[in-house]
Amino acid sequence: NNYILSYSVKTNSLPWLLSHLRAEGFRAEIVSDLEYDIARRVGFDENKMIYNGPIKDMTVFDSILAAGGMANIDSLEEIEHLEATSRCLWQQNAGSFVRRVGIRVNCDMHRLVPEETSTDSSRFGFCLENGELGKAIARLRALPDVKISGLHLHCTTKNRSVEGFRAIAGLACEIADSYDLDPEYIDIGGGFWGGVKDKPGYKDYIPAIAEVLARKFDPTRCALAVEPGVSLISRCSCFASRVVSINHVRDYVYVITDGSRLNLNPQI
């Protein structure tokens, strides 16, 4: 019963929704300075934010860490920034302040649950298999004012199954053993089903994850963090376009509009 609920602001940043979730005890999970500004405007304190993503604004990054918020390291540039500012901050604070950071793990999910994943690799986090994670941990440990306080394992599977999340939780235990880590939180990310018929829900996911984590981590000292987005709520808008023409070609009917999928998602 030691948990951190956070909401993925990028999923739907409708101000009323963010205010409602803040009132319900959620933190704001952000990945940009724009999302930071929105979260601040609706009343989230910096110590109630989780800062993720590979392209962080360093001013926001420093401010959230100074306030006691959560930030999960996702790139070498962030480690270099911590290194560049470490000695100065350590001297200014006379060794009384420690910046607590999490570190995002990039793992081979196909190895863990081959029947549930594609062979595509995630572009986020430090790779476990090629040693980049170990190098990042060593560099962070060398800084006197930095503590690795969390592991971030947001890894998705096609099926979003309970077994996939069991595997991720098991990996957190293995990593903590391998690198002698004593984290204050395990951030499992998002990627859940939510409210979909014949699919698992939170009452299936959370006990399964917690059961595996409890084999290694004391639940009174290590929190489980989750970052749901789409599994809580979908978009708040509709997309409308105008039909310009209709073209009949043999067995097909083509409808030409003045809008496209690119207006909704530029990655399609």
Side-chain angles (χ1 to χ4, degrees):
N1 200 34
N2 185 6
Y3 56 85
I4 297 169
L5 296 176
S6 60
Y7 170 71
S8 170
V9 174
K10 66 179 175 289
T11 301
N12 184 331
S13 56
L14 186 69
W16 177 89
L17 172 64
L18 298 180
S19 297
H20 174 72
L21 291 171
R22 181 179 64 82
E24 293 296 320
F26 277 74
R27 301 190 187 198
E29 186 266 326
I30 60 171
V31 296
S32 69
D33 53 350
L34 174 62
E35 292 171 21
Y36 168 81
D37 290 339
I38 293 171
R40 290 290 285 160
R41 282 174 179 266
V42 300
F44 280 98
D45 294 329
E46 291 173 313
N47 65 352
K48 297 299 182 183
M49 294 185 182
I50 301 179
Y51 199 8
N52 290 327
I55 305 177
K56 294 183 175 72
D57 180 297
M58 288 297 101
T59 300
V60 173
F61 178 72
D62 290 337
S63 187
I64 288 176
L65 286 182
M70 296 165 60
N72 291 314
I73 302 295
D74 205 319
S75 70
L76 289 174
E77 287 72 22
E78 293 160 53
I79 295 179
E80 290 168 357
H81 173 77
L82 290 171
E83 291 172 335
T85 55
S86 179
R87 184 180 299 275
C88 180
L89 287 175
W90 184 249
Q91 292 173 347
Q92 285 178 4
N93 294 288
S96 62
F97 176 69
V98 175
R99 293 180 286 182
R100 288 175 165 79
V101 301
I103 187 166
R104 182 159 185 177
V105 178
N106 185 307
C107 66
D108 183 3
M109 286 299 293
H110 189 67
R111 175 179 64 85
L112 296 177
V113 279
E115 69 281 2
E116 298 187 19
T117 62
S118 67
T119 56
D120 296 336
S121 297
S122 169
R123 61 191 181 279
F124 300 113
F126 295 92
C127 182
L128 171 65
E129 289 78 18
N130 68 3
E132 290 300 309
L133 176 64
K135 294 176 184 177
I137 289 173
R139 290 177 66 173
L140 292 172
R141 277 180 163 160
L143 303 177
D145 69 327
V146 173
K147 180 182 186 296
I148 301 173
S149 63
L151 287 174
H152 186 207
L153 294 110
H154 180 108
C155 308
T156 58
T157 64
K158 284 184 176 179
N159 298 339
R160 303 185 183 192
S161 72
V162 173
E163 287 309 308
F165 282 94
R166 282 185 184 273
I168 294 169
L171 183 63
C173 299
E174 293 176 15
I175 292 171
D177 275 335
S178 298
Y179 294 99
D180 193 25
L181 297 173
D182 184 22
E184 298 169 6
Y185 66 87
I186 304 296
D187 189 340
I188 216 76
F192 308 103
W193 289 110
V196 179
K197 186 178 180 181
D198 299 324
K199 299 294 184 181
Y202 297 116
K203 291 183 179 181
D204 304 300
Y205 290 121
I206 302 304
I209 294 168
E211 188 273 328
V212 176
L213 291 180
R215 299 172 189 171
K216 169 65 181 177
F217 305 106
D218 180 351
T220 65
R221 296 177 61 248
C222 182
L224 169 61
V226 293
E227 303 169 352
V230 173
S231 56
L232 279 181
I233 191 168
S234 192
R235 302 182 184 198
C236 63
S237 58
C238 297
F239 177 70
S241 63
R242 184 171 62 91
V243 175
V244 177
S245 66
I246 298 175
N247 194 13
H248 295 267
V249 180
R250 290 177 290 279
D251 296 331
Y252 297 94
V253 177
Y254 292 96
V255 177
I256 312 302
T257 71
D258 60 359
S260 80
R261 293 184 299 171
L262 292 176
N263 297 124
L264 297 174
N265 186 348
Q267 294 181 334
I268 293 177

